[in-house]
Amino acid sequence: MGRFHKNNFQVNLNLNIRGLEQSTTLLINEKSRELQKKGKKIYKLGLGQSPFPVPEIVVESLRQNAHQKDYLPVRGLPQLREAVAEYNWREHKIKSNPDDILIGPGSKELIFLLQLVYYGDLIIPTPSWVSYSPQARIIGRNVQWVQTGYGDNWRLNPERLDLICRTDPSKPRIVIINYPANPTGYTYPLERLKELAKAARKYNVILISDEIYGMIHHTGQHVSIARFYPEGTIVSSGLSKWCGAGGWRLGTFSFPENLRWLLDAMATVASETFTATSAPIQYAAVTAFKMGNEMNEYLYFTRKILREIAKYLVHKLKEMNIDLQLPQGAFYLFPNFEFYREKLQKTGIYTSNELCNTILSKLNIAMLPGSDFGRPPEELTVRIAYVDFDGKKALESSKKYGHNGTNGTMNGTFIRENCQPLVKAFDLLGNWLADL
Ligand code: PMP
Ligand code: GLU
């Protein structure tokens, strides 16, 4: 039997899939679970998922709709598409028509479908979320990474975008921007959004604005670029992050009317693949998108907790001589261990991957290397998802502080009392670096 056979079968994978591994965000979680099964205490800062429970009002709505068993329309439950359109206007001042909303089993699937149906190059800044580029590779599209810099908080620069598009102005392109960003937590200031919108309009690029972390901007000040480039922007969002419901798998795409043909094409492929998104989940999502007091309260406190943790951890990193600007949203930090390069090299660590592997094996802390996000392998950046704490308990405790600090300010004491695994992991990291 030749080496391309396994048992009786020819190992004959599609060329685009050969050599591709499972997504690193999910792989690190599985690796952490394996280690936990072996009895190790693992600090899980690898997979980026919300630490908070799904709000009770949304869970109750799911209970009430568990009996919904029929296949729903391919594009999504009409009430949900209406609720998303209303939410777009109420929360983000984006005008959208329910007919221009597409519901899918996670925004990840929708981003994939869009890349499949639109024939164009993919342009993404480095660093970017781990899945955009493998999706393009699976489909067979070209990916163009755009350099960014630490000094600019790793954001896409409109002049760089212009420079790329200028080489062949009429070439079809998809640009993805994501903010607050995974893996950095940084967002774009208003002026930059306007400049990016101008560059996108100049070359008629299809802009996917991945705003999955928009509602967990730490001070609730997220602004959608769809306000400045409405005709070419598709806003990608869903329940995973702000509603704590990653495992529910519900994503939304909001299109401008003139891109209805793209939505139609995606719906065709959806109808031949996943059919429709889970019915009970869609009914429950209506409650989430309608918001109301309970949701607003939930958002207020979850944002506050994430902000306070970010402050605490950034301060801890500074104490370790790792300088980092405070992120504005999501639950990620993207520090660079350059300060320790020489010492790390003496122990055989030359890349971010080696750094993460060592930290996992020596300190039991899981995190992801910058190289998974498109950074050069030898750059010592890592992504820390600061989600390993009991979100339910933290949420309850945070409420005691009241609104706007009426009952005292949430600070390091709150973090030490409610986010022990994070505190412990950072203490271990600090001690290890000091002893190098
Ligand atoms: N975009 C970004 C930047 C993400 O971090 C994620 C991870 N959840 C997604 C999209 C996909 O989210 P989902 O499929 O859960 O909607
Ligand atoms: N988006 C999350 C992350 O970056 C995990 C979920 C996923 O990748 O699908 O860790």
Side-chain angles (χ1 to χ4, degrees):
M1 204 95 25
R3 64 198 167 100
F4 294 109
H5 286 77
K6 256 201 182 138
N7 304 322
N8 293 325
F9 299 99
Q10 243 191 77
V11 178
N12 193 25
L13 289 174
N14 178 325
L15 260 182
N16 293 353
I17 315 295
R18 284 185 203 170
L20 262 190
E21 290 211 49
Q22 252 194 62
S23 187
T24 54
T25 51
L26 302 163
L27 214 52
I28 187 71
N29 207 36
E30 288 179 14
K31 208 165 160 184
S32 305
R33 274 203 211 117
E34 287 289 307
L35 291 168
Q36 280 176 320
K37 264 199 232 150
K38 287 184 188 153
K40 282 199 170 180
K41 159 83 192 128
I42 300 294
Y43 299 93
K44 292 173 82 176
L45 316 184
L47 177 74
Q49 70 172 333
S50 170
F52 302 109
V54 179
E56 184 47 37
I57 188 175
V58 183
V59 174
E60 181 52 31
S61 176
L62 181 60
R63 275 192 207 103
Q64 298 296 326
N65 284 289
H67 67 282
Q68 302 284 359
K69 60 163 197 64
D70 288 345
Y71 291 117
L72 292 180
V74 175
R75 290 156 197 250
L77 178 71
Q79 297 96 294
L80 177 57
R81 298 169 78 202
E82 235 165 75
V84 173
E86 280 167 16
Y87 154 94
N88 280 343
W89 176 246
R90 191 180 61 241
E91 303 296 328
H92 303 294
K93 295 289 166 283
I94 309 168
K95 284 192 196 127
S96 54
N97 182 325
D99 291 341
D100 295 313
I101 308 290
L102 179 63
I103 309 296
S107 61
K108 190 179 198 168
E109 182 65 23
L110 293 177
I111 296 169
F112 180 75
L113 280 193
L114 182 78
Q115 295 205 58
L116 181 76
V117 303
Y118 187 74
Y119 192 87
D121 284 2
L122 175 68
I123 300 183
I124 43 177
T126 157
S128 272
W129 177 47
V130 297
S131 289
Y132 304 137
S133 161
Q135 289 188 347
R137 174 173 161 190
I138 290 167
I139 298 164
R141 299 280 187 265
N142 291 327
V143 180
Q144 189 143 22
W145 291 90
V146 191
Q147 280 312 319
T148 67
Y150 162 82
D152 190 28
N153 282 353
W154 310 106
R155 291 182 286 226
L156 181 62
N157 179 320
E159 282 156 25
R160 289 234 164 98
L161 178 60
D162 191 284
L163 220 59
I164 288 172
C165 296
R166 204 186 298 164
T167 53
D168 186 351
S170 56
K171 196 173 187 179
R173 295 180 174 96
I174 296 174
V175 176
I176 306 183
I177 60 168
N178 162 231
Y179 66 101
N182 179 359
T184 66
Y186 297 125
T187 191
Y188 286 92
L190 213 62
E191 273 318 300
R192 178 68 72 88
L193 288 178
K194 288 182 185 165
E195 287 162 12
L196 284 169
K198 202 168 148 198
R201 175 171 294 126
K202 187 167 160 195
Y203 299 102
N204 296 313
V205 302
I206 301 287
L207 182 66
I208 302 182
S209 185
D210 184 343
E211 303 182 22
I212 190 99
Y213 299 100
M215 290 299 270
I216 48 170
H217 182 295
H218 295 165
T219 51
Q221 289 171 309
H222 178 74
V223 176
S224 177
I225 193 169
R227 280 167 63 175
F228 311 119
Y229 181 44
E231 72 276 23
T233 304
I234 300 162
V235 179
S236 177
S237 189
L239 289 188
S240 297
K241 311 300 173 180
W242 61 272
C243 206
W248 285 23
R249 311 307 301 125
L250 186 126
T252 62
F253 257 24
S254 302
F255 292 77
E257 196 179 344
N258 57 312
L259 295 185
R260 180 87 56 90
W261 54 274
L262 257 179
L263 192 163
D264 291 344
M266 285 174 67
T268 301
V269 181
S271 77
E272 301 289 14
T273 52
F274 63 78
T275 306
T277 305
S278 156
I281 299 293
Q282 291 203 59
Y283 280 97
V286 174
T287 307
F289 280 100
K290 286 201 163 156
M291 309 273 294
N293 287 346
E294 197 174 322
M295 285 300 298
N296 282 327
E297 185 89 346
Y298 171 90
L299 279 174
Y300 176 84
F301 287 105
T302 55
R303 286 168 179 161
K304 194 145 176 55
I305 294 168
L306 293 175
R307 184 171 162 79
E308 289 311 315
I309 298 176
K311 277 194 208 158
Y312 178 90
L313 298 182
V314 164
H315 179 72
K316 283 278 160 201
L317 286 169
K318 283 209 170 112
E319 286 179 352
M320 300 175 209
N321 293 304
I322 297 173
D323 201 25
L324 194 69
Q325 296 236 6
L326 190 67
Q328 294 101 19
F331 30 65
Y332 302 115
L333 300 174
F334 197 62
N336 190 336
F337 286 68
E338 181 61 32
F339 182 84
Y340 294 95
R341 179 175 294 279
E342 267 181 39
K343 287 182 175 171
L344 289 168
Q345 283 184 351
K346 282 193 184 131
T347 69
I349 297 171
Y350 290 83
T351 64
S352 58
N353 199 30
E354 288 164 353
L355 178 60
C356 286
N357 285 338
T358 307
I359 290 176
L360 180 58
S361 64
K362 280 196 187 307
L363 310 177
N364 296 330
I365 304 172
M367 37 198 213
L368 287 174
S371 52
D372 285 351
F373 299 82
R375 298 304 304 161
E378 64 286 357
E379 182 184 274
L380 296 174
T381 44
V382 305
R383 186 193 80 172
I384 296 174
Y386 53 88
V387 296
D388 192 354
F389 61 95
D390 182 343
K392 187 165 187 242
K393 175 171 167 266
L395 194 57
E396 285 310 312
S397 315
S398 71
K399 289 181 183 165
K400 293 181 205 139
Y401 289 82
H403 287 258
N404 302 319
T406 33
N407 304 327
T409 36
M410 214 190 272
N411 52 24
T413 312
F414 174 86
I415 309 296
R416 277 186 290 276
E417 282 174 6
N418 292 284
C419 309
Q420 254 311 306
L422 295 177
V423 173
K424 190 79 204 296
F426 271 61
D427 286 348
L428 286 170
L429 189 63
N431 292 340
W432 179 67
L433 290 171
D435 287 346
L436 273 178

